[in-house]
Amino acid sequence: MNKQDIETFFATLKAANPSPQTELEYSSVFELLAAVLLSAQATDVGVNKATRKLYPVANTPEKILALGVDGLSEYIRTIGLYRTKAQNLIKTCQILIERHGGKVPGTREELEALPGVGRKTANVVLNVAFGQPTMAVDTHIFRVSNRTGLAPGKTPLAVELGLLKRVPAQYAVDSHHWLILHGRYVCQARRPQCEVCAVRAQCDHGRRLQ
């Protein structure tokens, strides 16, 4: 994809969805952090089902910590790797209380120092909660970036760095959401829905099919 293709690609996605949002349900920065931590190797739908029961009972570091690993596990046991995630979230809550006054920090270094929070999770929180133009490369973004020719790369980090260079500044903050939603509902893994794709003309894969 050349610069004009990329501009048209994002302009088209923006026109269809001017204010894209994460599909994880949350009402505070801490709820977002917890949901993203729980979402590793799990679907947003599955995480939302669990947090709809958890958050009315415990939605702060102090309340999660009071549940303990066993109590928290009961709420999230339908999520993959729930035991490990429960342990990580409890440890994260301890650190938030001890080092950050119970608040979620707004820097990559501080976020990645939290148990269970890797680069992708930190990028989501920095983008969604703090409005930074980060790129959290999940399986959808990795696939779309390579398939379309937007930012090919062999690793998530390579794709992330490519996207940060190639996505125009005016689309940078929302591009993460547009790419995830496009990959989730249109540019799907097994069978991309090229026949209904609004950006097929800008996509390397789509053009090969013409």
Side-chain angles (χ1 to χ4, degrees):
M1 294 173 72
N2 59 38
K3 288 185 178 181
Q4 185 55 55
D5 287 331
I6 294 172
E7 169 66 34
T8 304
F9 179 90
F10 283 107
T12 302
L13 295 179
K14 180 176 181 178
N17 186 2
S19 300
Q21 304 292 325
T22 178
E23 293 189 322
L24 288 171
E25 297 172 358
Y26 71 98
S27 60
S28 69
V29 179
F30 174 74
E31 286 187 4
L32 173 67
L33 172 64
V36 179
L37 189 154
L38 295 174
S39 72
Q41 300 180 43
T43 66
D44 288 358
V45 172
V47 172
N48 288 338
K49 286 181 179 178
T51 57
R52 283 174 199 155
K53 297 178 180 178
L54 171 64
Y55 288 163
V57 175
N59 65 343
T60 66
E62 292 82 2
K63 290 179 180 178
I64 293 285
L65 197 56
L67 288 177
V69 172
D70 291 339
L72 177 58
S73 295
E74 288 303 310
Y75 286 98
I76 65 171
R77 61 187 312 114
T78 55
I79 301 173
L81 305 174
Y82 75 91
R83 191 74 182 177
T84 297
K85 291 176 181 179
Q87 293 170 343
N88 284 334
L89 185 50
I90 289 292
K91 292 175 184 176
T92 284
C93 289
Q94 289 175 324
I95 293 173
L96 291 178
I97 293 168
E98 293 170 1
R99 302 181 191 173
H100 304 287
K103 304 294 184 182
V104 177
T107 70
R108 177 184 302 283
E109 293 75 19
E110 290 172 315
L111 286 169
E112 290 188 12
L114 300 172
V117 177
R119 185 177 182 88
K120 185 177 75 172
T121 298
N123 279 338
V124 173
V125 174
L126 291 171
N127 177 262
V128 176
F130 298 104
Q132 296 186 25
T134 57
M135 192 65 63
V137 178
D138 67 352
T139 56
H140 298 301
I141 292 182
F142 186 81
R143 179 176 66 255
V144 170
S145 297
N146 277 285
R147 183 182 278 162
T148 62
L150 172 61
K154 294 183 179 180
T155 66
L157 181 58
V159 169
E160 177 187 336
L161 296 177
L163 288 169
L164 291 175
K165 289 181 180 178
R166 305 199 77 195
V167 175
Q170 66 267 36
Y171 304 116
V173 172
D174 290 326
S175 58
H176 159 253
H177 294 302
W178 285 319
L179 292 173
I180 285 179
L181 295 171
H182 189 64
R184 186 171 289 163
Y185 297 110
V186 181
C187 194
Q188 298 170 334
R190 293 187 179 181
R191 185 183 180 278
Q193 307 296 306
C194 297
E195 65 276 7
V196 298
C197 179
V199 290
R200 178 175 176 177
Q202 288 73 51
C203 167
D204 288 356
H205 179 76
R207 284 189 287 233
R208 285 195 294 270
L209 299 178
Q210 294 176 356

